[in-house]
Amino acid sequence: MTRAYRTVDARQPEEVFVALRAALADGGPAVVPRSAEHGSQWPPIGARASQNVALVIETSGSTGVPKRVALSADALLASAAASAGAMGGQGQWLLALPAHYVAGAQVLVRSLAAGTEPVYYGEGHFDPLRFAELTARLDAEQLYTSLVPVQLARIVEAAEGGLRQAGDALRRFDGILVGGQSLDPGVRTRAEALGTRLLTTYGSSETAGGCVYDGVPIGTTVVRAVDQLLEISGPTLAEGYIDDDERTAAAFHEDGGVRWYRTGDLGDVVDGRVTVRGRSDNVLISGGEKVLLDAVEYIVRSVPALGEAVVVAADDDEWGQVPVVVATGSDDLAGLRERVSRELGRAAAPARIVTVAELPRLSSGKPDRLSAARLARAAGHAESEA
């Protein structure tokens, strides 16, 4: 049996909510929430959805490789149930993320599972005061929201800067999920000092969103490391990729009768606790040595003077490739190189710091690494021509 697809404008999250309700409860069309800015890149879906597909997440992510992830109603509801168990119960949600990303869509799914009406942030630049005003509209016994690190950092900065409503908003929530990228430990400490209950999440569209909270798998999720690469099994796994059997076969496999998803992330699992080291494909070879850019970035992001920062690869005539920091601030390059070299080796030392007014970001709030790499290349060309 099959069902039709229904494309919904993600700028209208209320409509996505209604469409998801029909898909989850009444066997309605599979929902495809779509961003208007990226809608033209997607060709028509080749066939009707299988009966168990309820949601399709379309994303090119920070690497620019497009994919359509098919999620069943069972996977979505299993994720919502596991999340409620980890957070201490169901409740009302504030949607502050785009509805076409899995973290945003799952806020709607959790609301449907809880029987509550979400409050919608809407479009536009993220403003801590607006976030606080919307938080005040929530009226259920238990309150939740999901943010990316940059949003949390802006609320914390506003609260520390004297915006009382921002601190009050953080404290109102019984739990705030933070995911999409690693959270700066300093930001977490500052947020918790304001009375915030945070849960960092790890997961992806292929796992129906976050399936590991603060390093611990939730529900019946199981995570293992195979040759230093993390694999995940459990009821929240996607059906696969729409119109892409080859990619589906590469990402999902069976072992001993158990279906596993190959994440592509480096990490380890010790005594049940998951540690993510970074993307296995986010590496460069500099002078014949492999450099994990996520590890360099972890150190760089601990330098306050650099502000918001990412580390990308840039071509180099001598070394082949070198790490480059793209940041909203600046710092002593020699000192930064010495610090990184001491911890990761000389090949990992950044070649330069490119200062920008604002870090390029995807609509999800994640850093746009492709755009950052282009900025790094442009700065390198300008230096060579000077």
Side-chain angles (χ1 to χ4, degrees):
M1 296 179 63
T2 61
R3 63 167 78 180
Y5 292 100
R6 178 185 175 188
T7 301
V8 184
D9 188 347
R11 294 173 299 180
Q12 306 297 326
E14 300 92 336
E15 294 185 10
V16 179
F17 185 66
V18 171
L20 276 172
R21 177 187 286 123
L24 293 173
D26 304 324
V31 182
V32 188
R34 180 169 291 172
S35 164
E37 61 182 302
H38 297 124
S40 60
Q41 80 179 61
W42 297 105
I45 297 178
R48 291 169 63 86
S50 63
Q51 183 60 32
N52 56 338
V53 174
L55 174 68
V56 177
I57 296 295
E58 297 179 324
T59 176
S60 57
S62 57
T63 63
V65 181
K67 58 186 177 182
R68 284 169 161 152
V69 183
L71 292 160
S72 69
D74 287 345
L76 294 167
L77 294 174
S79 176
S83 179
M87 301 185 78
Q90 295 179 324
Q92 187 181 21
W93 287 78
L94 169 58
L95 176 63
L97 299 172
H100 65 287
Y101 280 83
V102 72
Q106 273 293 40
V107 165
L108 302 180
V109 172
R110 295 184 193 114
S111 299
L112 288 165
T116 58
E117 189 74 24
V119 170
Y120 305 96
Y121 183 91
E123 291 193 291
H125 182 75
F126 185 79
D127 176 35
L129 179 57
R130 174 167 171 74
F131 176 84
E133 291 171 344
L134 292 171
T135 300
R137 299 184 190 176
L138 298 168
D139 57 9
E141 183 177 343
Q142 290 184 282
L143 307 177
Y144 303 108
T145 193
S146 184
L147 304 172
V148 291
V150 66
Q151 292 173 318
L152 176 65
R154 288 173 181 169
I155 300 169
V156 169
E157 289 167 3
E160 293 174 337
L163 185 63
R164 176 184 53 80
Q165 299 97 314
D168 291 344
L170 290 174
R171 287 184 287 273
R172 279 207 74 196
F173 289 102
D174 295 277
I176 297 178
L177 301 180
V178 183
Q181 66 180 110
S182 61
L183 176 62
D184 186 324
V187 174
R188 178 166 195 158
T189 298
R190 290 159 57 200
E192 291 178 338
L194 293 167
T196 312
R197 186 201 174 199
L198 295 179
L199 292 164
T200 57
T201 73
Y202 168 69
S204 65
S205 298
E206 290 85 349
T207 61
C211 60
V212 176
Y213 287 6
D214 282 344
V216 179
I218 63 174
T220 57
T221 296
V222 177
V223 183
R224 69 181 184 182
V226 179
D227 296 330
Q228 298 184 325
L229 290 174
L230 295 176
E231 295 190 351
I232 298 173
S233 71
T236 68
L237 294 192
E239 301 296 291
Y241 302 105
I242 301 293
D243 295 336
D244 199 336
D245 293 341
E246 183 177 349
R247 181 183 284 181
T248 298
F252 298 90
H253 69 104
E254 283 200 9
D255 182 9
V258 177
R259 188 165 179 262
W260 294 87
Y261 165 60
R262 298 184 178 98
T263 67
D265 292 320
L266 295 165
D268 51 59
V269 183
V270 179
D271 296 330
R273 182 167 291 274
V274 181
T275 300
V276 183
R277 305 296 182 190
R279 290 290 302 174
S280 62
D281 54 2
N282 195 25
V283 299
L284 59 78
I285 305 297
S286 184
E289 294 189 42
K290 181 181 291 187
V291 176
L292 184 60
L293 293 178
D294 289 315
V296 181
E297 189 171 299
Y298 183 83
I299 297 173
V300 166
R301 291 178 61 204
S302 69
V303 180
L306 288 171
E308 298 176 350
V310 296
V311 178
V312 298
D315 292 335
D316 184 84
D317 291 339
E318 182 177 4
W319 300 107
Q321 287 183 307
V322 291
V324 172
V325 177
V326 180
T328 57
S330 189
D331 194 38
D332 173 54
L333 178 60
L336 180 63
R337 284 179 54 83
E338 193 279 331
R339 179 174 178 177
V340 173
S341 296
R342 186 171 60 248
E343 297 193 34
L344 301 176
R346 291 176 60 85
R352 56 185 177 274
I353 299 170
V354 177
T355 302
V356 295
E358 188 173 359
L359 204 64
R361 293 189 180 276
L362 302 169
S363 59
S364 64
K366 296 180 184 180
D368 185 340
R369 297 182 185 278
L370 291 177
S371 294
R374 284 193 289 269
L375 291 172
R377 286 196 297 272
H381 292 324
E383 284 184 9
S384 63
E385 294 173 359

